[in-house]
Amino acid sequence: MDKVFELIQREKNRQNSTIELIASENFVSENVLKAAGSCLTNKYAEGYPAKRYYGGCQFVDEVEELARKRICEIYGAEHANVQPHSGAQANTAVYLALLQHGDKVLGMSLADGGHLTHGHPLNFSGINYEFYSYGVSKETETIDYEEYKKKVEEIKPKLVVAGASAYSRIIDFEFMAKVAHDNGALFMVDMAHIAGLVAAGVHPSPFPYADIVTTTTHKTLRGPRGGVIMMGKDFPNPWGKKTPKGEIKMMSQLLDSAVFPGIQGGPLEHVIAAKAVAFGEILQPEFKEYAKQVQKNAAVLAQALIDRGFTIVSGGTDNHSMLVDLRSKYPDLTGKVAEKALVSADITVNKNMVPFDSRSAFQTSGIRLGTPAITTRGAKEDLMLEIAEMIETVLSNVDNEEVIAQVRARVNETMKKYPLFAY
Ligand code: DSN
């Protein structure tokens, strides 16, 4: 057997036996996995359905149309492009469609919970555009909307980017959009983290307010790795770009051509098929129950940690995730060491900076936790209480291998009750 399959089997065992708390991960269904591993990987299909640069696309055309139709139905969107290979690609395409090199953009700072593609200086976004950032207030650790407004008024960006990777509170999309629009900016929401909660209607939707919405498909949406760009309502592009026939192009046209041929070549039709399958699952009533449980589990886990003396950034969570600020309970413990100790106990988390962190991004003073993956395995509130207890035990004994081994054995035994792979 090829070594690769041995490694895949080992990874499968790891996923089966551990408690997965990385907020951006999830477990796809058997059908999503089947589609992602299908013969569609063999097909070149540059272009869009019915407008391809290759023959033999009749079936992948139908697959891609199904994916587009389903995601539009989920969010009540008028247009969707399901080809972006990732969330970063989706954001890249939006910037290419909307901005000129050097244009001003305002996004949430990575240190306060934003994302690399929202203007980090080492990312293409920060390199190619003049990015400015807004963040959270020191008192509430929630978005400082007054500071945001001031920045929009002063900077007059061409585009405002909302959305975050490590922010556990509801974002006031309505206010942010109004301020952006009043100041002549377009308003984009990268809802990658909360997309599944929005789809299920258990979290406010950005669609009534945002000009453009991007997301990944593999987080709370529980699909394959990938990205999507959507528009609630299509609109004529404000810069007057024209079609060869002299008509003003619609934003959907600019976005589609920014994805292909702008930044990508052949789409991954096997992944698009897996997206279509996942979107079909999201349209079923069970998905709403799942999303509600994700939120309930996150709230219970956050409270259980608070009851054990942990500090949760902003005091709690409204979504699927939370940031634990380790400094109050364990002043000398870095996120890096905490992550390593928890991973040794088969509880998978990631280190994360907390707002106004005194440590670097490599060390950090926090860890980020999320409940989408563990909820897919069937976890309810009772397991959240146990997880909080195990996290405290590990973090109070990061150098004690015996205690860590005991917790690991308990985790492995517990996860046998939440079977994952039937395949
Ligand atoms: N960095 C990913 C996350 O884990 O949130 C998002 O791209």
Side-chain angles (χ1 to χ4, degrees), residues 22-24 115 165-166 192-193 216 218-219 350 368:
I22 291 181
S24 48
H115 188 255
S165 277
H193 264 261
T216 52
H218 48 271
K219 298 186 175 90
N350 66 277
R368 185 183 64 164

Side-chain angles (χ1 to χ4, degrees), residues 89-126:
Q89 300 292 101
N91 291 346
T92 309
V94 174
Y95 299 159
L96 182 68
L98 302 184
L99 304 169
Q100 300 295 321
H101 193 270
D103 273 350
K104 291 179 181 172
V105 189
L106 183 67
M108 188 158 174
S109 115
L110 184 68
D112 287 10
H115 188 255
L116 278 174
T117 59
H118 300 182
H120 190 279
L122 296 178
N123 182 263
F124 82 95
S125 53

Side-chain angles (χ1 to χ4, degrees), residues 328-382:
S328 52
K329 191 167 163 75
Y330 306 106
D332 298 326
L333 181 64
T334 64
K336 187 178 176 190
V337 171
E339 174 191 300
K340 191 161 178 275
L342 286 166
V343 168
S344 300
D346 280 353
I347 299 173
T348 318
V349 306
N350 66 277
K351 65 175 184 279
N352 213 102
M353 285 183 88
V354 293
F356 310 100
D357 207 324
S358 38
R359 296 190 176 100
S360 74
F362 286 109
Q363 296 296 329
T364 83
S365 298
I367 51 173
R368 185 183 64 164
L369 309 178
T371 53
I374 193 74
T375 306
T376 292
R377 295 194 67 165
K380 299 272 189 321
E381 293 89 321
D382 54 340

Side-chain angles (χ1 to χ4, degrees), residues 40 43-45 48-66 269:
L40 272 63
K43 190 71 199 101
Y44 246 121
Y48 289 99
K51 282 178 258 159
R52 304 283 192 187
Y53 291 85
Y54 292 81
C57 289
Q58 60 272 37
F59 302 116
V60 294
D61 273 8
E62 280 197 48
V63 167
E64 194 167 330
E65 278 302 4
L66 262 180
E269 290 296 343

Side-chain angles (χ1 to χ4, degrees), residues 6 57 66 72 85 121 128 145 150 189 192 219 223 243 262 275 281 283 334 336 355 363 374 376 384:
E6 182 201 319
C57 289
L66 262 180
C72 285
H85 301 330
N128 289 321
Y145 290 103
K150 258 193 225 148
V189 176
K219 298 186 175 90
T243 65
K275 288 173 181 170
E281 292 171 359
L283 286 164
T334 64
K336 187 178 176 190
Q363 296 296 329
I374 193 74
T376 292
M384 298 304 118

Side-chain angles (χ1 to χ4, degrees), residues 42-339:
N42 299 331
K43 190 71 199 101
Y44 246 121
E46 281 183 13
Y48 289 99
K51 282 178 258 159
R52 304 283 192 187
Y53 291 85
Y54 292 81
C57 289
Q58 60 272 37
F59 302 116
V60 294
D61 273 8
E62 280 197 48
V63 167
E64 194 167 330
E65 278 302 4
L66 262 180
R68 273 159 51 154
K69 196 170 142 272
R70 286 179 181 172
I71 192 100
C72 285
E73 186 182 340
I74 289 168
Y75 294 111
E78 217 167 72
H79 180 75
N81 187 310
V82 294
Q83 292 193 359
H85 301 330
S86 69
Q89 300 292 101
N91 291 346
T92 309
V94 174
Y95 299 159
L96 182 68
L98 302 184
L99 304 169
Q100 300 295 321
H101 193 270
D103 273 350
K104 291 179 181 172
V105 189
L106 183 67
M108 188 158 174
S109 115
L110 184 68
D112 287 10
H115 188 255
L116 278 174
T117 59
H118 300 182
H120 190 279
L122 296 178
N123 182 263
F124 82 95
S125 53
I127 293 168
N128 289 321
Y129 307 105
E130 195 176 319
F131 256 90
Y132 296 82
S133 58
Y134 59 89
V136 300
S137 96
K138 207 158 193 170
E139 293 71 48
T140 61
E141 296 176 320
T142 60
I143 292 175
D144 187 336
Y145 290 103
E146 276 317 302
E147 187 221 15
Y148 160 76
K149 184 165 180 274
K150 258 193 225 148
K151 288 200 167 173
V152 176
E153 287 166 353
E154 271 167 33
I155 297 160
K156 297 278 181 208
K158 197 164 174 188
L159 175 71
V160 166
V161 183
S165 277
Y167 186 71
S168 61
R169 294 306 192 175
I170 284 168
I171 297 172
D172 191 343
F173 297 125
E174 185 175 5
F175 177 81
M176 291 185 76
K178 184 170 183 329
V179 172
H181 291 149
D182 284 352
N183 288 278
L186 285 173
F187 182 61
M188 159 189 169
V189 176
D190 174 351
M191 64 166 185
H193 264 261
I194 54 168
L197 306 182
V198 173
V202 301
H203 186 288
S205 170
F207 278 89
Y209 315 108
D211 299 301
I212 291 164
V213 177
T214 60
T215 184
T216 52
T217 46
H218 48 271
K219 298 186 175 90
T220 46
L221 278 181
R222 211 161 59 177
R225 294 201 156 266
V228 177
I229 305 171
M230 287 166 280
M231 272 179 301
K233 200 164 165 31
D234 201 0
F235 55 99
N237 81 79
W239 304 283
K241 281 192 190 163
K242 296 206 168 117
T243 65
K245 286 185 187 154
E247 291 155 354
I248 300 278
K249 282 192 183 175
M250 297 298 281
M251 269 323 302
S252 54
Q253 293 174 297
L254 288 192
L255 284 170
D256 282 353
S257 58
V259 175
F260 171 84
I263 61 159
Q264 292 187 176
L268 311 176
E269 290 296 343
H270 55 305
V271 176
I272 291 174
K275 288 173 181 170
V277 173
F279 300 158
E281 292 171 359
I282 292 163
L283 286 164
Q284 304 309 310
E286 299 82 53
F287 190 81
K288 184 168 180 132
E289 293 313 308
Y290 161 69
K292 272 191 202 159
Q293 191 65 48
V294 166
Q295 246 176 346
K296 249 192 240 169
N297 283 347
V300 170
L301 181 57
Q303 190 54 52
L305 289 167
I306 291 168
D307 293 344
R308 290 177 178 278
F310 284 88
T311 298
I312 302 292
V313 170
S314 84
T317 174
D318 301 326
N319 58 29
H320 61 296
S321 69
M322 68 209 72
L323 264 181
V324 183
D325 187 336
L326 298 164
R327 291 175 294 189
S328 52
K329 191 167 163 75
Y330 306 106
D332 298 326
L333 181 64
T334 64
K336 187 178 176 190
V337 171
E339 174 191 300

